[in-house]
Amino acid sequence: MKITLLLLLSITLSSCGRGAHTDANDSAGVTLTENLVSSCSVTKDTETLEIVISCPDGTEERLKDGVDGQDGTSCTIADVVGGAMITCAHTSVFIKDGVDGQDGSACSVVEAQNSSGSLISCADGTTAFIRNGKDGTDGQDGEDGADGQDGEDGTDGQDGEDGEDGADGQDGEDGTDGQDGLDFVQRVIDPCGQETTHGLDEVLLVLQSGDILAYYNDGQNQYLTILKRNKHYVTTDGTGCKFKVTKDGEIKD
């Protein structure tokens, strides 16, 4: 009964109120739900127990409670040879098992070299070429809006009083001379030797501190990383050179 009442309510609301019907091609894009919520009201008459739908255009609909329907009959389903048997009260229906369909053929999509579209090819020999769409023409510029009103000038701020000058600070003492710096790079090692043809071979820089720095330049970016000792490595320049850094800091191919 509740389902019947809700269905009647939906149908009645669709027929009353301003703009209750919206065409599928309506350029305004107004939805039916927005019009119903903003246009009509739903109340209940306490005397007649009817649902009253009132709309601003003066239309009114009254809905009474529906009558309970009869209970439906229950059905049973039993698997039988070749299908299933559905039995409801004095009626029986046999549903035959379906037959598996054939597997579909696979297709591939390849974009054209001139970027004009894509070719779809299927295993059954069928092909279709889909061209790329063209950009639509630009719309016309809208008219300029009216200039806004000028805002009112704010009141002038008051001048503040100047603060007193602070006393000059004392000069600090000279610091002690620093120690001479160490040479940064002591050796340059090319593991496995020059293996690339483009000249961008990865090299190792042995620093004064004993650290080993891997350096690689791909022509646009430069990469640096500190290598750990007693580890095996492979260069990242694409040559696949394998080498090891011993615990004493030696490089072995």
Side-chain angles (χ1 to χ4, degrees):
M1 182 171 63
K2 292 182 179 179
I3 296 176
T4 304
L5 178 59
L6 290 175
L7 180 60
L8 292 175
L9 178 60
S10 175
I11 296 173
T12 305
L13 286 174
S14 300
S15 62
C16 75
R18 182 179 58 84
H21 173 72
T22 301
D23 191 88
N25 298 321
D26 188 1
S27 60
V30 178
T31 63
L32 178 62
T33 305
E34 292 175 352
N35 287 332
L36 293 178
V37 173
S38 61
S39 298
C40 302
S41 62
V42 180
T43 59
K44 185 173 183 179
D45 192 327
T46 56
E47 295 182 358
T48 62
L49 300 180
E50 294 177 331
I51 301 300
V52 181
I53 304 173
S54 301
C55 296
D57 59 2
T59 58
E60 180 181 283
E61 293 287 342
R62 289 178 171 267
L63 303 177
K64 295 183 178 180
D65 289 341
V67 181
D68 294 338
Q70 296 179 354
D71 295 335
T73 58
S74 59
C75 302
T76 59
I77 301 176
D79 292 331
V80 296
V81 178
M85 182 67 71
I86 302 175
T87 303
C88 302
H90 303 292
T91 303
S92 297
V93 177
F94 176 72
I95 305 299
K96 186 178 180 181
D97 290 337
V99 181
D100 295 336
Q102 296 180 354
D103 295 335
S105 58
C107 301
S108 61
V109 181
V110 179
E111 185 177 358
Q113 294 182 353
N114 59 2
S115 300
S116 61
S118 298
L119 178 65
I120 302 175
S121 302
C122 298
D124 59 0
T126 58
T127 60
F129 186 77
I130 307 300
R131 295 186 177 275
N132 294 332
K134 297 182 180 179
D135 296 334
T137 56
D138 296 333
Q140 297 180 352
D141 295 335
E143 298 180 355
D144 295 334
D147 295 335
Q149 297 180 356
D150 295 334
E152 298 180 357
D153 295 333
T155 57
D156 296 333
Q158 297 179 356
D159 296 333
E161 298 180 356
D162 295 334
E164 297 180 357
D165 294 334
D168 295 334
Q170 296 180 356
D171 294 334
E173 298 179 357
D174 294 334
T176 57
D177 296 334
Q179 297 179 357
D180 295 336
L182 302 175
D183 293 335
F184 186 66
V185 179
Q186 297 297 305
R187 287 188 300 158
V188 178
I189 300 175
D190 188 354
C192 304
Q194 179 71 26
E195 294 186 336
T196 60
T197 58
H198 48 66
L200 301 177
D201 198 18
E202 186 169 9
V203 296
L204 307 179
L205 308 178
V206 181
L207 308 183
Q208 178 68 28
S209 62
D211 292 329
I212 300 175
L213 186 67
Y215 170 77
Y216 176 61
N217 177 8
D218 65 0
Q220 296 180 347
N221 302 302
Q222 299 186 27
Y223 305 92
L224 297 171
T225 183
I226 297 291
L227 302 183
K228 295 182 179 180
R229 298 192 179 191
N230 201 24
K231 294 277 188 182
H232 289 86
Y233 294 95
V234 179
T235 58
T236 59
D237 54 9
T239 63
C241 169
K242 298 180 179 180
F243 62 94
K244 179 181 179 181
V245 179
T246 68
K247 63 181 180 178
D248 298 327
E250 296 297 327
I251 308 299
K252 293 186 177 182
D253 297 340

